[in-house]
Amino acid sequence: RIYREIIPLARELGTKIHEGLFAGNFGDLLMNIGKYEEAESYFLLTIEILKERYALVAEIFSASYAKLTLLLGNKELAKARIDRVNETLLGNMADELIKLKAKKAYIYHGVGEIEEGKYIFASIERLLLEHDFKEGSAVSRIVKEVEALYSEQ
């Protein structure tokens, strides 16, 4: 309910970055609770709003949109979307880079490219050794989700 109120408020105030962030975060929330079709509209809105002036944030949400595409059943398009995400824009943002790589490893697993996914997951593990992320953080949650996929292999 809060997101449904705050997104139009941000639009009304003309703060595009906030409108895009709120819409993208709401898309992530909707995806995580299984409301995929509704999440898609928020990701599309976010990417459209942010792609020109806030490319970095648009890339982050493009990775979420790629994962959603897989969850909606379109494997080939999901892989194409995640492969288009520009990791180099994330620079030294280790938390966002790890989350992006985790989404990529998740998608690669989903499309059956297990060995490439394992390679991506190994790069996540190297980044985790360099940084200290608290248990329960967004980073640790998404890494655990992907780790579970690859521990089954």
Side-chain angles (χ1 to χ4, degrees):
R1 184 182 114 122
I2 292 172
Y3 280 112
R4 292 186 201 286
E5 294 173 7
I6 202 163
I7 294 167
L9 179 60
R11 184 178 303 127
E12 184 180 315
L13 294 172
T15 56
K16 288 289 192 188
I17 183 68
H18 293 109
E19 181 184 357
L21 285 170
F22 296 142
N25 287 331
F26 192 38
D28 273 330
L29 174 69
L30 291 166
M31 178 174 62
N32 290 335
I33 63 171
K35 295 188 175 188
Y36 300 149
E37 288 78 17
E38 192 175 355
E40 184 172 29
S41 66
Y42 284 97
F43 286 134
L44 291 171
L45 173 64
T46 295
I47 294 164
E48 180 62 32
I49 290 171
L50 299 176
K51 69 181 178 185
E52 299 277 329
R53 295 183 57 204
Y54 306 101
L56 167 66
V57 183
E59 289 298 298
I60 292 167
F61 286 114
S62 292
S64 292
Y65 184 43
K67 181 179 178 182
L68 176 66
T69 303
L70 177 69
L71 294 170
L72 286 168
N74 194 332
K75 294 178 179 183
E76 294 79 19
L77 185 56
K79 184 173 181 305
R81 284 186 173 146
I82 198 68
D83 286 343
R84 282 195 304 263
V85 174
N86 184 354
E87 288 182 26
T88 61
L89 285 178
L90 300 179
N92 293 326
M93 296 176 61
D95 57 337
E96 295 299 338
L97 184 58
I98 289 170
K99 289 189 288 187
L100 168 65
K101 286 179 174 284
K103 289 171 188 164
K104 191 171 192 174
Y106 182 94
I107 291 168
Y108 272 63
H109 185 276
V111 301
E113 295 190 21
I114 306 301
E115 290 307 312
E116 182 63 24
K118 285 180 179 178
Y119 176 79
I120 295 165
F121 189 72
S123 73
I124 293 169
E125 289 177 321
R126 287 190 297 276
L127 284 167
L128 288 171
L129 290 174
E130 297 171 14
H131 303 278
D132 184 30
F133 294 101
K134 291 185 167 76
E135 188 68 28
S137 69
V139 170
S140 68
R141 284 192 309 274
I142 194 167
V143 168
K144 283 184 180 195
E145 177 185 20
V146 175
E147 186 176 40
L149 291 174
Y150 286 99
S151 66
E152 297 169 0
Q153 303 300 313

